[in-house]
Amino acid sequence: MVRQHSLRKLRILVSVVFLLSLSLVFLDVKEFFPVWFREFFLFLQFAPSILNFATIVTWTALGFLIVILLTLLFGRVYCSFFCPLGVLQDVITRFANFFRKKKRRFRFLKARNILRYSILFVVTVAAFSGFIIILGWLDPFSIFGRFMTHIVRPAYIHTNNWVSSLLYGWNIYSLHPLEFRAYSWASFGAVAALMTLVVWMAAAYGRQYCNTVCPVGSLLGFLSKYSLYKIRLDHERCNSCALCQHACKAGCINSKEKTVDMSRCVACYNCLTVCKSNGVLYQPATGKARALESDPSRRNFIAGSASLLLAASGFSKALAQPQAQNPTLIPEQKEFPVSPPGSKSIEHFTSKCIACHLCVSVCPKQVLQPSLFEYGLKGFLQPRMDYHTSYCNFDCTLCGEVCPTGAILPLNREQKHVEQIGKVVFIRRNCIVRTDLTDCGACSEHCPTKAVEMVPWRRVLLIPRVHPEICIGCGACEFACPTEPYKAIYVDGNKVHQIADRPVIEEQQSPVDDDFPF
C-alpha cells in the first residue's frame, strides 16, 4: 500500500532523476556514461519512440506503448515523471516563486480544448504528410534537446574553458579545455524564442504550455480521461477551501464545483499533500471512495548513470598547410545537402527527424550542424553535415547510436566505411596548386579511402585527381581545403545513400630471398 501523500515524493524523485540524466545525455562531452544509460532514459520519450518504432519495429522502440499503458492506468504520469520539458517547467515555476513576495496561488482555468486539439490535429496531419518538423518544433523532448544543445551546452563548454585557463595559470592541469567549432545563431534564435514562451507560461500559469500547445500533452490528456486511477474530490469531505485548487499548476481543479478535469491533470499530486480534510482522493474511478490510502503500486523507473559520447578531438587544419593567396572565383554547385550516415536518404531523414539535436550534441567532430533551408522548408533546423565546420570521422558511428526516432539508423564500422552519403567534386580552377602555383595535397592527405590522389601537373607540381566511386562523402577533403571563399574540392550529397566501391590496394612486392637479410 502506497500512501497518497508519498506519491508526490515519488514523483519528485523520479522526475529529478530523469531530468538530470537526460541533461547528462546532452552534456556528456567526455564519454563518461555507458550506452545502456542513454537508451534507458530515452526509451520512454513519447514522440521519438513512436517514430523509432515506425522505422525499425522492434521491442526496443516500444516505449510509447508503455507510456500509453501508464496513462490508461494512472493518468498523465509521463508529463510529471518522465518528460524533461515538463519537469523543467516545474523547476521554472518554483524558481519564479523566489522573486515573488507571496507564493503563487494557482486558480482554475477554463479549458482551451479547441486550441489544443486543433494543434494536435494539425501536427498529426503534417506528420503524415511528411512535415515531421512541425512535430519537432512542439514536441517537449525536442524542445528540451535544442535548449540543452544550443544554450546550456555552449555555456558549459565556455565555462569549462574559462575555468581551465584560470587553473593553467596556477599550474593546475586537472581540467582540460574543450573544443567548440561552430555556433548556429539561427538555431539559437529559434530555441530562445520558443523557450521564452515556455518560461513565461511556466512562471505565470504553471503547466499551461502542456495543456494548450504541447501535442503530446493533448494526446495523453485525451487518453487520461479514461484512466483507471483518477484524482477526484470527495463531496462529503471536501469543504471547498480551495487549497487543492491553489496548488494545482495545471489549473484543472474547480473547488467550487468539486470537479477535476483529468484531461489536463499532469499527475503532480500536489493536491494530495495540501488537502487538510482528506477530501482529495486518488483511486480507481469505479471504486468506492476511501479516505487516505489507495494502491496505485508505483513503478520504480530509477537506475543509475547516463550516456552520451562527445569529445572534442581536433583535426587541426594547420598541419604545415599552405594558405591561399588568391581568392577563388567559382562557387561550389551542391545539388543536395549531405544527410548523416545511416539516414538512408534525404527523404527518409527529413520525414523522421524531429530536430531534437541529440546527434548534434554527441558528434565528436561537430560536423553535424542545424540546417536553415538546405532541406527545404520542411527540414528547417534538421541537422546536416557542414564540411566547412568539420568533417565526419571515418570510424565514428555515434549519431546512429543515439538517434531516438530512427531518422539515423545505426551502422557498424564496416557498414560506415562503405556508406556513401555524398561524392567528391573537384574544381581545378579553384585549386591552390593552379591559382598560386604551389604544392598542397591537404585533400589527398586526409582522405580515408584515397578517393583523392595527387598526380603530376606541369612536371614539377602535383594536383588532385578524384575517384567518386570510392568516395564515402566524409568531407575531410572539403574541410582541409585552404581555398577561400569557395572550396576547390567539396562533397555533393547523395539524395539516396549508396554503397561506395572499396579502394584497390596494391600489394607490395616482398623480396623472394630466403636468406636472413642481416
Side-chain angles (χ1 to χ4, degrees), residues 113-350:
N113 290 332
I114 295 179
L115 174 61
R116 61 176 175 153
Y117 290 128
S118 295
I119 292 176
L120 176 61
F121 176 77
V122 169
V123 168
T124 303
V125 171
F128 278 105
S129 302
F131 283 82
I132 197 70
I133 194 61
I134 296 180
L135 171 62
W137 268 90
L138 302 178
D139 170 58
F141 176 77
S142 300
I143 295 173
F144 177 80
R146 291 193 294 270
F147 170 68
M148 295 300 298
T149 300
H150 300 291
I151 296 179
V152 178
R153 184 172 173 270
Y156 165 70
I157 291 176
H158 290 310
T159 302
N160 174 89
N161 293 349
W162 177 72
V163 173
S164 67
S165 66
L166 289 180
L167 295 178
Y168 279 15
W170 298 332
N171 296 323
I172 300 175
Y173 304 102
S174 56
L175 190 64
H176 301 289
L178 301 171
E179 187 176 10
F180 193 71
R181 290 185 182 270
Y183 193 72
S184 171
W185 288 104
S187 185
F188 171 80
V191 172
L194 193 53
M195 281 305 299
T196 299
L197 173 65
V198 173
V199 170
W200 171 72
M201 294 184 76
Y205 303 104
R207 285 294 198 96
Q208 290 314 296
Y209 178 86
C210 306
N211 284 327
T212 55
V213 180
C214 179
V216 176
S218 298
L219 176 60
L220 297 182
F222 178 79
L223 297 177
S224 187
K225 293 192 295 185
Y226 308 100
S227 63
L228 175 62
Y229 279 83
K230 286 183 169 67
I231 289 179
R232 51 183 175 170
L233 304 186
D234 189 320
H235 285 235
E236 296 180 2
R237 295 188 179 91
C238 177
N239 56 15
S240 297
C241 67
L243 288 177
C244 57
Q245 178 177 299
H246 295 326
C248 179
K249 56 196 174 189
C252 66
I253 297 180
N254 187 335
S255 61
K256 290 184 178 180
E257 298 183 8
K258 300 181 181 181
T259 59
V260 180
D261 182 355
M262 280 301 295
S263 72
R264 291 186 289 149
C265 174
V266 294
C268 69
Y269 307 128
N270 289 350
C271 55
L272 299 179
T273 61
V274 298
C275 182
K276 296 180 180 180
S277 62
N278 298 325
V280 182
L281 304 176
Y282 182 58
Q283 296 178 350
T286 55
K288 294 182 179 180
R290 289 175 291 171
L292 282 175
E293 296 183 355
S294 65
D295 187 20
S297 11
R298 260 340 181 219
R299 63 253 134 237
N300 195 1
F301 278 112
I302 306 171
S305 350
S307 105
L308 251 318
L309 305 67
L310 219 200
S313 49
F315 174 82
S316 182
K317 273 187 169 180
L319 254 156
Q321 180 174 304
Q323 299 296 316
Q325 301 299 319
N326 299 307
T328 50
L329 302 176
I330 304 176
E332 306 152 23
Q333 298 292 329
K334 296 189 177 183
E335 186 176 2
F336 299 108
V338 184
S339 61
S343 59
K344 297 174 62 175
S345 67
I346 292 177
E347 177 62 30
H348 171 86
F349 181 66
T350 55

Side-chain angles (χ1 to χ4, degrees), residues 72-87:
L72 291 174
L73 288 175
F74 307 114
R76 286 171 60 180
V77 290
Y78 170 81
C79 298
S80 282
F81 280 71
F82 313 122
C83 175
L85 186 68
V87 181

Side-chain angles (χ1 to χ4, degrees), residues 18 22 91 165 265 269 295 368 400 429 438 442:
F18 266 78
L22 287 170
V91 173
S165 66
C265 174
Y269 307 128
D295 187 20
L368 279 171
R429 290 171 59 189
T438 183

Side-chain angles (χ1 to χ4, degrees), residues 18 37 46 61 98 121 273 310 326 347 351 381 410 418 428 441 505:
F18 266 78
F37 185 78
F46 189 75
F98 286 109
F121 176 77
T273 61
L310 219 200
N326 299 307
E347 177 62 30
S351 66
L381 290 187
V418 293
R428 179 181 286 242
I505 303 176

